Amino acid sequence: MKQTTKRAYNFNAGPSALPLEVLQKAQEELVDYNNTGMSIMEMSHRSKDYETVHNEALSRLKTLYAIPDNYEVLFLQGGASLQFTMVPMNFLSEGKKASYVMTGSWSEKAFKEAKLFGQAVEAASTKENKYRNIPTLNEIQFDENDAYVHITSNNTIYGTQWKEFPETGEVPLIADMSSDILSKEVDVSKFGIIYAGAQKNLGPSGVTVVIIRKDLLEKANTTIPTILKYTTHADNNSLYNTPPTFGIYMLGEVLKWVEAQGGLKAIEKNNDEKAKVIYDVIDQSNGFYKGHATLESRSLMNITFRVTDEELEKQFLAEAKEAGFIGLNGHRSVGGCRASAYNAVPFETCQALADFMVEFQNKHS
Ligand SMILES: *Cc1c(COP(=O)(O)O)cnc(C)c1O
């Protein structure tokens, strides 16, 4: 019955595919959660049942991501975009500057918000190279008394990803990990703050995860609105106001699914294999397909490429759509093609795209 559910070849960039098992479990529990006669959506966020869901999601994330005890995990709203604002509001104090590594459109948006609050400068930029690469670590410039250094760990639009992270010493390193959080093991202790909107790897849109080192909370600006202070949410276990309860429930279920896959090592291995089948087709196409990112900076999450003949590219996208592939158009700001192979996209879906690409090339060259 359930196994025959028809699933699209979903390469959407976000919101994106969720694990089928998670959707089915949510469906089973949707109307009557844990024999309460209510949906989880209909419950008080102060109820015992919801509280368990909330706290289990928090502790599962801490365990899975090996988050050290001197970090707080917060479930907020407003997406990564609100974090672009909250980070400088809380931490870009007068007389300090923040350094931003520019690796794509999301870095630009984050940078723009910081400049509204104080002094923000570019620590490095690969814009001149059309954001095809991540800068090398020694190209990144910052000062020892900077408020923080900000990076975008995976560039969803350009399809690049950091493979190693800069050592920033006493300066907090802040990362927008919206599109690769939980896709591989990460040494959280290198970061002052990690933030991510949930809708790529963690669950449905509506929840934003923030992982923040506790000592930073003490240093945060206190003269900003209550709801925008990290301390407000930390002091209230992310229950200061009504949280997105259904989204947090879904996040908890996604985390259980990640555990069942074998944890982050297994997830990473799977992501490697998924990206490889598609990159291999690009690399073996004799230039019929061309990747946007340089080899060293390629993202395992967002595979960006062109069909080198522009007319054929239109046809490729049209035929792919016809064949049931969803979400392959590149971001409206850059065009081309993009396959987003987030955690929940099965290997078989990537293999199907690789086969389709080979077939398309054989037909047209
Ligand atoms: C999707 C995305 C965002 C925007 O997230 P919202 O939740 O829509 O605000 C920001 N940064 C990165 C890297 C993204 O992939």
Side-chain angles (χ1 to χ4, degrees), residues 52-290:
T52 304
V53 166
H54 188 90
N55 290 335
E56 278 188 11
L58 285 167
S59 64
R60 266 215 167 79
L61 185 58
K62 285 181 190 162
T63 308
L64 264 173
Y65 224 24
I67 300 172
D69 286 340
N70 61 326
Y71 284 75
E72 200 75 62
V73 179
L74 309 175
F75 293 153
L76 308 184
Q77 300 183 64
S81 299
L82 184 59
Q83 294 310 302
F84 297 165
T85 304
M86 275 177 75
V87 164
M89 261 190 149
N90 280 267
F91 298 112
L92 185 46
S93 44
E94 243 182 78
K96 290 257 190 185
K97 75 171 165 68
S99 294
Y100 279 72
V101 183
M102 311 302 286
T103 52
S105 314
W106 295 116
S107 320
E108 287 176 3
K109 289 199 166 136
F111 186 48
K112 179 173 162 231
E113 294 305 303
K115 283 190 289 187
L116 294 172
F117 284 95
Q119 200 198 347
V121 300
E122 293 188 3
S125 172
T126 56
K127 187 172 185 173
E128 290 212 335
N129 192 28
K130 300 203 167 94
Y131 291 129
R132 289 177 197 281
N133 66 306
I134 300 294
T136 59
L137 296 188
N138 56 23
E139 284 173 296
I140 299 166
Q141 299 194 345
F142 63 95
D143 289 319
E144 266 169 33
N145 61 351
D146 278 352
Y148 56 83
V149 174
H150 182 279
I151 66 169
T152 313
S153 61
N154 182 78
N155 298 279
T156 327
I157 294 173
Y158 294 92
T160 61
Q161 187 174 24
W162 292 67
K163 309 292 160 170
E164 46 175 354
F165 297 109
E167 296 289 345
T168 54
E170 293 295 301
V171 182
L173 179 62
I174 299 183
D176 174 1
M177 287 198 188
S178 293
S179 52
D180 70 348
I181 190 164
L182 229 59
S183 67
K184 58 180 179 178
E185 288 182 316
V186 160
D187 179 2
V188 173
S189 74
K190 283 195 140 187
F191 297 88
I193 302 176
I194 291 170
Y195 63 86
Q199 66 272 22
K200 280 100 183 198
N201 265 342
L202 298 177
S205 63
V207 194
T208 311
V209 168
V210 174
I211 303 166
I212 181 165
R213 218 172 60 213
K214 287 178 182 167
D215 64 293
L216 294 177
L217 291 168
E218 288 150 29
K219 294 177 197 145
N221 190 356
T222 56
T223 60
I224 55 177
T226 312
I227 190 82
L228 298 175
K229 288 180 189 167
Y230 291 108
T231 49
T232 300
H233 302 285
D235 292 345
N236 291 283
N237 192 32
S238 300
L239 287 158
Y240 169 72
N241 67 323
T242 317
T245 52
F246 186 69
I248 291 169
Y249 157 80
M250 288 293 285
L251 165 60
E253 293 302 320
V254 169
L255 296 174
K256 285 182 202 168
W257 175 84
V258 171
E259 274 173 12
Q261 302 302 297
L264 289 187
K265 270 209 168 73
I267 289 277
E268 181 174 0
K269 182 166 172 283
N270 202 22
N271 285 337
D272 266 322
E273 289 167 358
K274 281 153 52 185
K276 188 172 187 302
V277 285
I278 300 172
Y279 281 127
D280 279 353
V281 170
I282 294 171
D283 294 341
Q284 289 157 18
S285 71
N286 289 317
F288 185 85
Y289 300 107
K290 191 168 186 303

Side-chain angles (χ1 to χ4, degrees), residues 290-352:
K290 191 168 186 303
H292 177 77
T294 60
L295 295 186
E296 330 64 78
S297 296
R298 278 178 166 176
S299 168
L300 297 187
M301 298 281 97
N302 310 98
I303 299 154
T304 48
F305 63 95
R306 310 288 315 220
V307 179
T308 35
D309 179 295
E310 221 167 289
E311 275 310 305
L312 271 183
E313 183 169 275
K314 279 186 203 138
Q315 202 175 333
F316 172 82
L317 287 168
E319 283 187 27
K321 197 170 169 194
E322 189 83 350
F325 294 95
I326 310 291
L328 287 180
N329 285 72
H331 189 268
R332 57 199 145 75
S333 63
V334 296
C337 314
R338 169 175 58 173
S340 298
Y342 298 122
N343 286 357
V345 175
F347 177 81
E348 294 68 32
T349 299
C350 296
Q351 183 67 62

